[in-house]
Amino acid sequence: MITIQHVSKYYDDHPALQDLSWHVKAGEWWGIIGPNGSGKSTLLQLLSGVEAPTSGRVELEGRNIRTFGRKELARKIAVLQQEGLPQTNFTVREVLEMGRYPFQNWRGREQRDPGPFLDSIMDKLELRELQHRPVDLLSGGQRQRAALGKVMAQEPSLLLLDEPTTYLDIRYQLQFMNMVASWRKETGITVISVLHDLNLASQFCDKLLLLHENQSAGEGSPAQMLTEENLRDIFRVDTSIVPHPCNGLPQVLLVRQ
Amino acid sequence: MSKKLAGYGAAGLALLLLSLVVSLSIGSVHLPVKQIGAMLLQKIPGLGNSIATVWEPSAEQIIMKVRLPRIVLGMLVGASLAVAGAAFQGVLRNPLADPFTLGVASGSSLGAAVLIFYGLQYSFAGAWTLPLVAFLTGAITLLIVLALSRENGKIPTHGLILAGVVMQSFLGAVVSFLTIMSRDTLNDILFWTMGSLSMRGWTYIAVLLPYLTAGFVYLWSRSRALNLLSLGERQASHMGLNVDRLKWSVLVVATLLTAAAVSVSGVIGFVGLVVPHMIRLITGSDYRIIIPLSALGGAVFMVWSDTAARTLLSPGEIPIGVVTAFIGAPFFAYLLYRSRKQRREGRL
């Protein structure tokens, strides 16, 4: 799906990412974890094709990502940021329609009417009743669902999530992740997510990429990556890793000093 | 969306026609609205023969040769400035942006002021010398501002606004200097920089109309892109929008439109700032609606401003830029008050 080879990114002389190589297969769900400033967001920017690496190469489906046109790229990759949608008085439905932008001609028309498709998205995300409500009147959880609806309308084959659950309470965190999971199950979409919540990452991601000081600190399954030593090395905190009572996946407990 | 636009559009057009007919009847010679309606209808091919001429030929002269061209030109200037203002606000995502933000008006004023100062208004292209030079100096100013603010091939919005402000104050100072230095009792430079629509005639309309048509069609066609941009530059680019190309093209087109309007009428402030805000208050933030309605709103606003400009101190004239600021500034103060109130209520 997407491959990066010896990629580095510098802002002026300051390194944000150094010599990273990584391969993501179609259909996988990856989590990128690491402390603040370790290069997670930079990596996501490079993967989205908006920024060019200082050196190295990012390839999407075997082709240099910088050779894609913007609309062409938006039909393949969608990005959801932590703040989701800004305060705007566009309605939920209008925002979902904006997700269709890469498919529209200059007059805003598509070959087929996107209406039924947008309806089905809103049904899945429990947004149907809110469709004519302006986004600035939605609660945080509703707004993030609308943001998810917009990227679903984009019909990408790769979804990039940048700390999408940051501003949500635990109910909406779980709801959001479950919605992404069922979308993935239906369409086989590839997901790469930057997550701060290691326990959510463990339960939803197939594989984790660890970043530390702008470099890779290992990749593998959550069970391989979420170890007490790794977390001590990367985050400088003491933890206890216990298996989740329901599914046996590793869960991180913080240890007070 | 299209239903909403059709509704507002029909209301706007009706208001524009009404304003046109009423404003035609007002002036040093009062003419009844009914006669004017008949006079205009008579000019429509195929309909003209069925309407009898019941008015003095002099009345028709006043309408067709004096008032109508002036009012139509005012409509075109108002529409141009308001559309350009809406586009500037959309692409700079700044409520204070207006068509003159990037210094175009000051550039045009400088060109005009230099010509007037040296008495060169009619030097090489007759009556067209001044509009031509004003247009060119306005466009050159844009190029300088873009060059000043450019950074690694990108245009950061804040840099752009700052460069525009710097340019405006500098060129404005030069224009003020020339105004002081010129000895004429009736200062032509001052009058030019405050805008006027008098003594223009149909040829000016023919000059501005193509700019307005092309600029309007282009900017309207980019309105969905401006909607996307309202979600933020990064998000818009993730949704398939080439943000830098959009900025370049919209700024250049809107500026040329502004320069064309300024070159025929002088600097008329506030229309481009206030009209898009009025439309936004009424219809919401969808640029597919804001841009066409700004054109209508700008035209109506200008018809009434100019009517006030030419009648309030008749036979003298108030510079139209003064009238628009007179109406525009209090409205703007109200907008500021409103947004502060909203912020206090926690909505912004």
Side-chain angles (χ1 to χ4, degrees), chain B residues 151-162:
Chain B
E151 213 175 83
N152 309 325
K154 294 188 175 186
I155 323 168
T157 302
H158 293 290
L160 197 61
I161 293 175
L162 284 177

Side-chain angles (χ1 to χ4, degrees), chain B:
Chain B
M1 195 289 291
S2 20
K3 259 188 216 159
K4 198 173 168 188
L5 179 60
Y8 283 120
L13 271 178
L15 186 62
L16 184 63
L17 278 178
L18 183 75
S19 306
L20 171 70
V21 175
V22 173
S23 153
L24 276 172
S25 76
I26 300 173
S28 48
V29 182
H30 179 79
L31 299 165
V33 169
K34 216 170 150 190
Q35 267 188 21
I36 289 165
M39 217 183 278
L40 292 179
L41 287 176
Q42 207 188 36
K43 295 286 176 244
I44 298 170
L47 206 69
N49 298 334
S50 57
I51 295 168
T53 308
V54 294
W55 50 81
E56 307 275 315
S58 67
E60 188 166 333
Q61 289 285 321
I62 292 175
I63 295 296
M64 290 301 163
K65 293 260 167 69
V66 182
R67 286 188 199 165
L68 190 60
R70 177 174 183 149
I71 292 170
V72 171
L73 183 65
M75 286 176 171
L76 298 187
V77 168
S80 303
L81 292 176
V83 166
F88 269 92
Q89 286 165 11
V91 87
L92 298 177
R93 300 199 298 131
N94 187 316
L96 281 170
D98 79 353
F100 308 143
T101 303
L102 297 189
V104 187
S106 327
S108 296
S109 300
L110 181 62
V114 168
L115 281 189
I116 298 170
F117 186 76
Y118 291 107
L120 298 172
Q121 295 99 303
Y122 304 101
S123 53
F124 60 89
W128 293 106
T129 310
L130 204 143
L132 203 65
V133 168
F135 181 83
L136 285 177
T137 48
I140 292 168
T141 312
L142 169 74
L143 291 182
I144 298 174
V145 167
L146 286 177
L148 273 178
S149 56
R150 207 174 148 155
E151 213 175 83
N152 309 325
K154 294 188 175 186
I155 323 168
T157 302
H158 293 290
L160 197 61
I161 293 175
L162 284 177
V165 169
V166 166
M167 205 66 186
Q168 255 186 66
S169 356
F170 178 70
L171 298 179
V174 178
V175 171
S176 303
F177 182 70
L178 290 175
T179 311
I180 298 293
M181 292 300 287
S182 74
R183 303 242 170 80
D184 300 334
T185 34
L186 189 73
N187 198 318
D188 285 344
I189 298 177
L190 193 62
F191 271 92
W192 195 88
T193 56
M194 289 192 296
S196 169
L197 292 168
S198 71
M199 310 295 289
R200 293 300 198 271
W202 291 102
T203 39
Y204 282 77
I205 293 168
V207 168
L208 183 53
L209 192 59
Y211 279 97
L212 176 57
T213 314
F216 175 76
V217 168
Y218 179 75
L219 295 174
W220 198 16
S221 79
R222 302 306 284 153
S223 55
R224 278 175 314 113
L226 290 173
N227 285 347
L228 250 60
L229 196 61
S230 74
L231 300 184
E233 287 189 13
R234 180 169 283 185
Q235 193 157 155
S237 65
H238 288 151
M239 287 158 80
L241 181 69
N242 192 327
V243 171
D244 284 306
R245 196 192 297 161
L246 176 80
K247 277 189 185 172
W248 270 100
S249 59
V250 168
L251 289 177
V252 168
V253 170
T255 301
L256 293 182
L257 184 57
T258 308
V262 168
S263 69
V264 299
S265 68
V267 182
I268 301 176
F270 271 96
V271 184
L273 177 67
V274 165
V275 171
H277 278 303
M278 290 184 192
I279 301 298
R280 202 174 276 118
L281 279 177
I282 300 168
T283 68
S285 14
D286 192 336
Y287 281 94
R288 291 172 298 181
I289 296 177
I290 291 177
I291 288 185
L293 288 184
S294 289
L296 287 174
V300 171
F301 184 84
M302 195 63 112
V303 169
W304 288 111
S305 299
D306 187 46
T307 306
R310 67 188 165 86
T311 53
L312 285 183
L313 290 184
S314 181
E317 270 201 32
I318 310 171
I320 186 160
V322 173
V323 180
T324 53
F326 230 86
I327 307 174
F331 179 74
F332 198 68
Y334 160 73
L335 277 181
L336 286 177
Y337 166 76
R338 207 183 97 113
S339 76
R340 199 181 321 141
K341 202 171 128 195
Q342 274 178 352
R343 216 172 314 138
R344 214 180 301 131
E345 286 161 6
R347 282 201 54 214
L348 270 172

